[in-house]
Amino acid sequence: MAASEAVPYAKTGGLADVVTALAMELSALGHRVTLLLPGYRGQATQNARREVMRFSILVMQTKTEVTVEEELVPVTEASHPLRVFLVRYDPYFDRPGIYQEDHHDYPDNLDRFTLFCRAVLHVLRALTEVQGEAVDLLHLHDWQTALCSVYLKALPGEYKELHTIKTLLTIHNLGYQGIFAAEEFGKTGLPPSLFSPSALEYYGSINCLKGGIICADAVSTVSPTYAKEIITAEYGCGLEGVLSSRIDGILGITNGIDTKVWDPARDFYLPARYTAANLAGKQVCKRALQEEFGLPNREVPVLGVVGRLTFQKGFDLLLEIIAELMSLELQIVFLGTGDYDLEQQFKAVQQKYAEKIGLHIGFDERLAHRVEAGADMLLMPSRYEPCGLSQLYSLRYGTVPIVRRTGGLADTVVPFRPSTVESKSATGFYFTDASSDALLSTIMLALRVYKEYETWNLMIKAGMSEDLSWRRSAQQYAGIYRAMAEK
Ligand code: ADP
Ligand code: GLC
């Protein structure tokens, strides 16, 4: 498995959680998994690390010296450890950011991730050739690793030892495609003929994800609804044609969560722990959260927001209705970072309504856990959401999600309706239009239900008792791997 993020090494969003949890669960199921990541700055873990390979890669006639370090992560007593390979090339990866700094992407991201892809294939070749390990499958995630499948198809002579390896590309977010100027194509080391509409060319630029979609042996995404959405113009971000031309279709497998890391009964980031049977600790978490965000300890519903501040997440819809919300009995706690303009707007509303809005601009894992636990409701008004993990965490923490009905949000939240209340299956609220009116009326509905103590409690319990673990999804991936390997 190759990816650009994985906890605890590097994280900007859900991809990092997914990669590690899936790799661990597959190992627990008995598979031998090696995870390849760029060796970024500041990745110290508790595991011993040793250098296992050193080689050079030729990029634009220049030799680039890469080292690979290995960590063995224990999984279960019965299973093989998860082997993590960190691909180090410090001029590219020993930096303060993962993809960007001060809100600007690194200008050499194409150089960085093509080098990473080539190093991944180099490592696989060494494993096969020198160590006699048979690698069956390479699971790629997002544009940063998509080019691996292109290299395998386009340079069969260079990677002949790997001709039996199948590639699965999982798309976590079509909004990020790895688009670069045509002039940079030479850096990829690919034959110039591949800069064509049937391969990597996209409106005159290079599109790494497009190349991966065309060359990978199979393509999947992280929920069944998103798999259907992305073959439409509304959600396809310009790649709907390429996606729908894959005759085998796009598979949709819903993410799970790491139920050891995200467990209100064991979470040591929390000031108190709790279970569905005894929610007393959740009240302690709520009071601590109000304090931490500088809000008065009042008996009002607290709405939590955790997420990247981007157009995708629809938090601007919240800003549009902030005046209406502030006239209601509630508080909002906000944890996020991202677009500079949105950050400024959130700072401004927080200053205006300091009694009711708590804000933390930044990335803070501990605080994310505390918001998930201490809030009563979690807002995710996403314009699109491939899967979404925050709402899954909120379900597990007894924090009722209010989401837009799209992608994985539609697949994972059982909406409040007479029938779902009757069957005790309702776990949250959703709305369909990506509009602030729809968001406002859904929040109002949730606030009304919040007052119906029994119904609200049933919703909390239904969410907390759902099986959100990785087991089922990891088994689905394993089924796909097997089918691909046997083809
Ligand atoms: P996405 O991957 O699109 O960002 P997800 O809901 O799948 O959305 O995953 C987001 C992950 O990132 C969750 O684990 C969430 O807790 C975390 N996260 C997002 N923003 C922050 C932040 N500002 N501080 C800490 N964790 C954050
Ligand atoms: C992406 C998506 C998010 C998904 C995550 C992990 O960042 O935006 O919806 O949960 O990847 O798959």
Side-chain angles (χ1 to χ4, degrees), residues 408-448:
L409 299 174
D411 291 336
T412 57
V413 173
V414 181
F416 172 89
R417 284 194 187 127
S419 60
T420 57
V421 171
E422 172 80 32
S423 61
K424 301 190 170 72
S425 58
T427 58
F429 297 85
Y430 66 39
F431 58 99
T432 304
D433 286 349
S435 73
S436 51
D437 284 349
L439 172 61
L440 181 61
S441 54
T442 310
I443 293 176
M444 306 274 273
L445 169 65
L447 293 173
R448 279 200 299 280

Side-chain angles (χ1 to χ4, degrees), residues 14-15 18 172-173 222 255 308 312-313 385-389:
L15 171 67
V18 166
H172 294 262
N173 195 330
V222 287
N255 291 330
R308 292 179 295 110
Q312 170 191 352
K313 300 289 172 183
E385 196 61 74
C387 179
L389 297 178

